[in-house]
Amino acid sequence: MTIPRTSRNIRPMHDMRFLRENLDGLKAQLGLRAGDVPWEDLRKLLQDRSNLMTQVEDLRHQLKTGSEEVGRLKREKQPADEAMARMKAVGDRIKEGEESLRLVDERVQDLALRIPNLPHQSVPVGPEAAANVEVRRWGMAPTLTFAPKPHWDLGEALGILDFERAAKIAGARFAVLTGLGAKLERALINYMLDLHTTTHGYREVLPPFMVNRAAMTGTGQLPKFEEDLFRLRDDDYLLIPTAEVPLTNLHREEIVTEAHLPIKYTAHTPCFRREAGSYGKDTRGLIRQHQFNKVELVAFAKPEDSYEELERLTAAAEAVLQGLGLHYRVMALCTGDMGFSAAKTYDLEVWLPSQKTFREISSCSNFEAFQARRASIRFRRANGKNDFLHTLNGSGLAVGRTLVAILENGQQADGSVLLPKALRSYMGGLERISKS
RNA sequence: GGAGGGGUGGCUGAGUGGCCGAAAGCGCCGGUCUUGAAAACCGGAGUCGGGGCAACUCGACCGUGGGUUCGAAUCCCACCCCCUCCGCCA
């Protein structure tokens, strides 16, 4: 089979010159996020790279002018042996220099690609989730006159969720949905896509579910998070952990025109995650699966508009929950809890009665130019200048978790589940899921 | 999987060893002309990186990587992608 095309145009979040001149400032600004980047190694490598570059470019200049001289001599039928011998030597030195430069470059790339994004100034500072800030809350938790059941009990009793057989055919962290469960999942996907493509102005996309390494590097999954990804044994493809990867990479190595911005895409895809390191967490139920469905929102915006766009994108994700009448809150993630690539993130957390707590159901982020640099996505301004644009994305929503919320929040004393009105037309008019 | 054709600037497309970062056309930008526009004519314009306050200057880039050569878009090797035909297949 084929080996996917990879790109050389992968840039870390900053260009080399900026890195060299601002390494200390960057490290300081990153604070807790500076983490496991070997800053001193990086500093030395950047200096080496700069020196080598000057040397090689100087030699190349000699070679160029020298070779032109040879050409001139030959045309004038003059002896050129001596000049040719000199240029041969210069050529050899260039080869050596280029080899050293290539090695240094590789190491700089690898280190620089591990530097996380800088948090936006509006992001609360803190070491971990406890420092996240609640921004707003919507709706009310349902008043249940009985002890709420977890969705796995509800689903198994209704005959629409089957974890045992999922373990038989695949393993732990997989689920089988049957009958009205499968239909409900499908209804949710359609409801979400319809909402985003009509009232929110997103263009629907159906992308590949496996991508090459260049794509994964562009959005920041590689090189640092390879152990979280499923990959194929015989081909260099990786299964997408989110539609963010194919959607954002749609415009990799492109220059889009300013008039087209913002560009907004939505897609439903399965998402595949190895969940390495989450052993023992959410082992029961649909909350944490190796494969789950998600409707994703991705936006490309001008830098000056991107934070406005983040609010709009978050509102679009919230609209899904509001349409379903689900109680939720919006959290601004603190510096220590944000993802590697994000400059600012809002999490939407939905109320789960059985756990008496809010659980993440969507994550909406502005990556600023972080992904755009890595993936080389630029736009041409009216004045003719090219500039990196800003990328954003958010779940709108995680479908499996939405199904969980609907089961748990809609549950009745008799074990049936009342469906939100907005979903009923997608369920053939059905109002309630009961044991059949 | 087999056979053949092809990848050059925003697009079309020329270019088989030096004067080619690359003809020409289209499109684009500026100007002349015009009441305005079109046409015509004149001029401009690639991307990335280094140096410089700047005018500017140096280097890289013709699918990707390697090789030959004083010198490669051009010759050689490998790979990737696209197209046509055959085979297989939902």
Side-chain angles (χ1 to χ4, degrees), chain A residues 408-425:
Chain A
E408 294 205 0
N409 283 284
Q411 63 179 301
Q412 308 295 306
D414 64 359
S416 68
V417 171
L418 205 58
L419 292 172
K421 286 195 178 62
L423 233 40
R424 292 180 188 168
S425 63

Side-chain angles (χ1 to χ4, degrees), chain A residues 30 70-71 85 97 119 122 124 160 186 196 250 263 293 315 323 352 378-379 387 403:
Chain A
L30 281 168
V70 170
S122 68
I160 59 173
R186 180 157 55 88
H196 295 315
L250 280 176
I263 298 171
N293 289 306
L352 291 190
R378 290 171 290 168
F379 74 107
D387 218 344
L403 189 136

Side-chain angles (χ1 to χ4, degrees), chain A residues 6-154:
Chain A
T6 52
S7 169
R8 292 178 311 150
N9 298 337
I10 292 164
R11 273 184 208 81
M13 64 168 290
H14 297 296
D15 56 71
M16 295 298 160
R17 185 183 177 181
F18 177 89
L19 268 185
R20 203 169 66 240
E21 290 168 3
N22 298 284
L23 209 57
D24 290 321
L26 196 59
K27 185 181 173 185
Q29 279 186 75
L30 281 168
L32 289 162
R33 311 189 93 204
D36 39 35
V37 179
W39 296 94
E40 285 318 306
D41 293 355
L42 186 56
R43 183 193 314 283
K44 185 175 175 310
L45 284 167
L46 283 167
Q47 191 54 52
D48 290 353
R49 180 178 179 282
S50 172
N51 294 342
L52 276 167
M53 196 113 109
T54 316
Q55 274 176 37
V56 169
E57 287 197 358
D58 185 57
L59 285 169
R60 274 203 278 250
H61 180 61
Q62 284 182 40
L63 182 70
K64 201 172 174 176
T65 50
S67 294
E68 277 164 15
E69 176 68 6
V70 170
R72 193 184 60 80
L73 289 172
K74 292 209 162 182
R75 244 174 286 123
E76 294 172 3
K77 308 272 192 242
Q78 293 186 35
D81 291 359
E82 194 262 346
M84 280 168 67
R86 259 193 301 125
M87 286 311 108
K88 171 89 178 147
V90 171
D92 290 344
R93 287 177 63 200
I94 290 176
K95 286 220 174 76
E96 289 167 27
E98 281 176 339
E99 175 61 11
S100 315
L101 190 58
R102 196 183 60 77
L103 289 173
V104 170
D105 230 25
E106 234 167 53
R107 294 174 62 198
V108 168
Q109 282 288 323
D110 186 61
L111 292 186
L113 285 170
R114 289 164 195 271
I115 302 174
N117 203 355
L118 281 175
H120 187 251
Q121 70 244 9
S122 68
V123 172
V125 176
E128 47 172 56
N132 295 346
V133 172
E134 182 174 321
V135 179
R136 60 183 165 271
R137 216 174 253 238
W138 187 92
M140 300 230 306
T143 45
L144 302 178
T145 55
F146 53 93
K149 288 184 183 156
H151 67 276
W152 53 85
D153 285 347
L154 285 164

Side-chain angles (χ1 to χ4, degrees), chain A residues 255-395:
Chain A
I255 302 173
V256 304
T257 52
E258 182 171 18
H260 290 156
L261 296 174
I263 298 171
K264 305 199 286 187
Y265 295 127
T266 183
H268 151 248
T269 69
C271 304
F272 303 92
R273 300 186 182 179
R274 295 190 61 228
E275 295 296 343
S278 65
Y279 306 109
K281 254 191 250 172
D282 299 308
T283 49
R284 297 201 69 182
L286 288 173
I287 294 286
R288 196 175 295 273
Q289 300 274 296
H290 286 311
Q291 175 191 320
F292 61 96
N293 289 306
K294 183 153 62 75
V295 170
E296 184 75 358
L297 304 169
V298 165
F300 303 81
K302 287 190 269 186
E304 54 271 33
D305 299 338
S306 69
Y307 278 93
E308 218 174 287
E309 195 61 47
L310 176 63
E311 297 303 320
R312 270 196 295 272
L313 185 147
T314 307
E318 284 178 66
V320 176
L321 287 164
Q322 290 171 11
L324 297 173
L326 293 169
H327 181 42
Y328 70 91
R329 64 179 187 178
V330 181
M331 304 295 287
L333 296 197
C334 72
T335 50
D337 199 30
M338 271 198 319
F340 176 79
S341 307
K344 180 168 187 172
T345 299
Y346 292 119
D347 271 5
L348 308 189
E349 298 181 341
V350 71
W351 178 255
L352 291 190
S354 75
Q355 302 187 7
K356 293 187 174 50
T357 181
F358 291 96
R359 292 302 305 261
E360 178 188 340
I361 196 166
S362 171
S363 193
C364 304
S365 302
N366 185 356
F367 301 88
E368 297 191 3
F370 185 85
Q371 294 178 330
R373 279 181 187 284
R374 294 170 74 109
S376 191
I377 310 173
R378 290 171 290 168
F379 74 107
R380 192 182 302 282
R381 289 188 183 273
N383 66 14
K385 285 277 185 194
N386 294 333
D387 218 344
F388 290 109
L389 45 70
H390 283 189
T391 62
L392 304 93
N393 69 56
S395 350

